[in-house]
């Protein structure tokens, strides 16, 4: 008999790394895949990563924190190495959720801010994919989930670096999927819409822009971490084994409008 469909969503025995896992969306995905059974390393440069992991441990989840600044290649390499030590030398699931936003009129966009956004949102995503990809290729496969954005396909307003970086994350997801699909690695992206997280504090506090956004969100509410949990588990699990190279929106219907 075929495997019970619910069993194909379980992640028992799987080893995971979530980069940016102390963020509002990352934290929810850490909780979801850990509840589904994965042992999870959480990488973030914010000290909150330690409290978050302590609290999840109290709930019986197998999570370990690593503090690292992913805009620095040495810290990416070191954190990846430490992750593998914690996980026993292997990784089955990588989620890239570290991200930053900077808002300036394009003509005034500071060069150092451009570089920082590209470094965190795009460069670090590629480097963790490269390192985890090497381990997964040796071990017969794995699942990579990059956090893109509706700004992977839209341009936004006053966010040229963010839109360029997230467009890049979408293209990177497809490129890596092509290179690795026949060798057991599925590479997909989740594209959140307008989510109520600290990344959007400036937007949430701007009543005029919030009204403009909601005019176009068919579900008429902000999304949140809970909205990503099901898809994160699905894309991490064998239930999605024939899905790769996709960018799946979780946006309350925004892109269909
Ligand atoms: N909030 C939204 O509306 C929205 C929409 C689409 C996509 N996204 C993407 O979702 C992901 C998660 O965003 P979020 O909304 O949870 O924001 P968030 O600010 O709550 O989380 C981002 C996390 O990345 C971490 N981070 C930032 N710079 C880092 C660095 N240099 N080194 C290590 N960690 C670093 C932060 O500490 C934070 O924990 C991001 O990639 C973001 O671009 C968010």
């Amino acid at each position: 008999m075929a495997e019970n469909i619910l069993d194909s969503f379980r992640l028992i025995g799987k080893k995971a790394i979530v980069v940016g896992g102390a963020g509002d969306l990352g934290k929810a995905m850490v909780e979801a895949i850990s509840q589904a059974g994965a042992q999870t390393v959480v990488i973030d440069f914010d000290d909150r990563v330690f409290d978050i992991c302590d609290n999840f441990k109290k709930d019986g989840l197998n999570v370990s924190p690593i503090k690292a600044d992913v805009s620095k290649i040495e810290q990416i390499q070191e954190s990846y190495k430490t992750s593998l030590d914690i996980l026993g030398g292997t990784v089955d699931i990588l989620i890239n959720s570290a991200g930053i936003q900077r808002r300036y009129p394009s003509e005034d966009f500071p060069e150092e801010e451009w570089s920082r956004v590209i470094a965190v949102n795009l460069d670090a995503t590629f480097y963790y994919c490269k390192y985890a990809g090497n381990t997964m290729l040796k071990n017969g496969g794995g699942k990579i989930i990059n956090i893109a954005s509706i700004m992977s396909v839209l341009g936004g307003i006053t966010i040229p670096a963010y839109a360029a970086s997230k467009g890049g994350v979408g293209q990177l997801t497809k490129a890596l999927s092509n290179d690795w699909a026949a060798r057991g690695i599925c590479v997909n992206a989740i594209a959140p819409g307008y989510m109520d997280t600290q990344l959007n504090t400036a937007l949430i506090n701007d009543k005029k822009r919030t009204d403009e956004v909601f005019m176009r969100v068919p579900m008429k509410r902000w999304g949140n971490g809970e909205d990503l949990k099901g898809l994160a588990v699905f894309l991490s699990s064998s239930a999605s084994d024939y899905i790769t190279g996709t960018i799946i929106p979780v946006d309350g219907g925004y892109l269909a409008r």
Side-chain angles (χ1 to χ4, degrees):
M1 200 165 72
E3 185 186 15
N4 181 295
I5 186 62
L6 291 180
D7 287 335
S8 70
F9 287 82
R10 294 187 206 287
L11 302 176
I12 293 158
K14 299 294 182 190
K15 314 278 184 177
I17 298 173
V18 180
V19 185
D24 292 323
L25 301 183
K27 186 174 58 179
M29 291 186 283
V30 168
E31 185 172 31
I33 63 170
S34 304
Q35 284 178 347
Q39 178 188 354
T40 308
V41 170
V42 186
I43 299 174
D44 205 290
F45 80 158
D46 193 302
D47 283 328
R48 281 173 311 170
V49 71
F50 299 108
D51 282 345
I52 286 169
C53 286
D54 280 349
N55 285 331
F56 282 155
K57 276 187 207 153
K58 283 183 200 143
D59 294 336
L61 303 182
N62 190 347
V63 293
S64 310
I66 295 178
K67 182 172 173 168
D69 180 349
V70 306
S71 68
K72 304 202 162 55
I73 185 70
E74 307 75 26
Q75 294 196 32
I76 292 177
Q77 290 168 337
E78 188 60 31
S79 64
Y80 184 68
K81 196 170 156 296
T82 310
S83 300
L84 280 192
D85 290 342
I86 293 169
L87 296 173
T90 191
V91 60
D92 305 293
I93 299 159
L94 168 69
I95 300 181
N96 277 306
S97 188
I100 55 173
Q101 176 63 288
R102 296 290 186 268
R103 296 174 186 277
Y104 299 92
S106 290
E107 63 275 21
D108 298 327
F109 210 93
E111 283 75 358
E112 64 279 11
E113 296 284 36
W114 170 274
S115 300
R116 186 155 181 85
V117 171
I118 299 294
V120 174
N121 295 9
L122 182 57
D123 295 346
T125 297
F126 173 65
Y127 297 136
Y128 280 108
C129 285
K130 178 182 167 180
Y131 302 140
N134 267 290
T135 306
M136 290 173 180
L137 288 172
K138 280 189 207 113
N139 294 343
K143 303 278 188 175
I144 296 178
I145 303 167
N146 294 324
I147 305 306
S149 168
I150 53 172
M151 296 309 159
S152 296
V153 290
L154 303 173
I157 297 168
T158 68
I159 55 166
Y162 187 82
S165 72
K166 292 297 182 177
V169 169
Q171 290 301 94
L172 175 66
T173 299
K174 294 182 218 169
L176 297 177
S177 167
N178 293 337
D179 285 352
W180 295 339
R183 289 188 283 165
I185 305 179
C186 295
V187 190
N188 291 292
I190 296 175
Y194 284 94
M195 314 302 270
D196 182 1
T197 73
Q198 58 182 346
L199 186 117
N200 276 333
T201 305
L203 190 59
I204 291 164
N205 291 337
D206 182 338
K207 170 90 174 66
K208 184 169 165 289
R209 283 285 292 124
T210 301
D211 288 347
E212 280 169 16
V213 167
F214 280 175
M215 293 253 299
R216 254 203 74 168
V217 178
M219 288 196 186
K220 303 291 176 208
R221 69 165 175 87
W222 292 93
N224 58 52
E226 294 295 311
D227 294 313
L228 296 191
K229 284 181 165 181
L231 184 55
V233 170
F234 173 61
L235 290 177
S236 298
S237 74
S238 65
S240 61
D241 273 354
Y242 199 53
I243 298 174
T244 192
T246 62
I247 303 169
I248 303 180
V250 179
D251 66 352
Y254 189 91
L255 286 182
R257 191 70 182 254

